[in-house]
C-alpha cells in the first residue's frame, strides 16, 4: 500500500493528524490532534450540560407535563445550553478533519516523488 493511501486512511478513519504521524510530520500531527480533541471535548461537555439541564427541568416539572410544555422546555434548554458553541465545535472538527485528509494526501504524494 502506498504511503499516501495509508496516511489518508488513518486521517480519515482514525483521528485527524494520525496520517501525519505516519508521514513523520509531527508538528502538523500535533496541531491536527490538539484541535480535533479539544473540539470533541467541547462537544461532549456541552451535550452533557444540555442533557443535565433538560433532565433537571423535567424533574422539576414532572407533575404538569404535556407535549407543548415539554417541547417548550426542550427549546429553552437548547438556548440555555449554548447550542451555538456545539455547532462551532462541530464545524471546527469537520474542517480540521477535511484539512487533515487533504494534507495527508499532499504530503504523502510529495514524499513518494
Amino acid at each position: 500500500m502506498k504511503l499516501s493511501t495509508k496516511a489518508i486512511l488513518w486521517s480519515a478513519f482514525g483521528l485527524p493528524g494520525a496520517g501525519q504521524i505516519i508521514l513523520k510530520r509531527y508538528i502538523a500531527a500535533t496541531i491536527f490532534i490538539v484541535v480535533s480533541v479539544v473540539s470533541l471535548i467541547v462537544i461532549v461537555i456541552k451535550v452533557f450540560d444540555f442533557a443535565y439541564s433538560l433532565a433537571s427541568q423535567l424533574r422539576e416539572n414532572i407533575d404538569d407535563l404535556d407535549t407543548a410544555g415539554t417541547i417548550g422546555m426542550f427549546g429553552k434548554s437548547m438556548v440555555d445550553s449554548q447550542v451555538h458553541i456545539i455547532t462551532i465545535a462541530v464545524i471546527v472538527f469537520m474542517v480540521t478533519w477535511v484539512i487533515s485528509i487533504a494534507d495527508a494526501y499532499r504530503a504523502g504524494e510529495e514524499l513518494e516523488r
Side-chain angles (χ1 to χ4, degrees):
M1 178 181 296
K2 289 176 27 174
L3 191 60
S4 61
T5 305
K6 187 186 280 190
I8 290 169
L9 289 174
W10 274 101
S11 283
F13 298 113
L15 181 68
Q20 283 72 15
I21 291 174
I22 290 172
L23 297 171
K24 295 180 172 71
R25 299 186 69 235
Y26 300 116
I27 294 173
T30 302
I31 292 169
F32 287 127
I33 290 170
V34 167
V35 171
S36 60
V37 167
V38 167
S39 52
L40 286 174
I41 289 170
V42 168
I43 292 167
V44 168
I45 288 171
K46 289 299 179 183
V47 166
F48 275 105
D49 283 348
F50 171 70
Y52 180 76
S53 170
L54 186 60
S56 295
Q57 289 178 14
L58 285 171
R59 220 176 306 115
E60 291 171 6
N61 301 318
I62 196 76
D63 295 332
D64 51 306
L65 280 181
D66 62 345
T67 305
T70 305
I71 292 171
M73 232 184 302
F74 184 76
K76 183 180 179 316
S77 291
M78 287 182 72
V79 171
D80 291 346
S81 68
Q82 303 168 345
V83 173
H84 61 280
I85 293 175
I86 297 172
T87 305
I88 291 168
V90 168
I91 291 169
V92 166
F93 179 80
M94 296 302 290
V95 168
T96 303
W97 183 50
V98 170
I99 292 172
S100 171
I101 294 169
D103 183 64
Y105 173 75
R106 183 195 57 76
E109 289 291 321
E110 193 176 286
L111 283 175
E112 289 171 353
R113 286 188 204 147

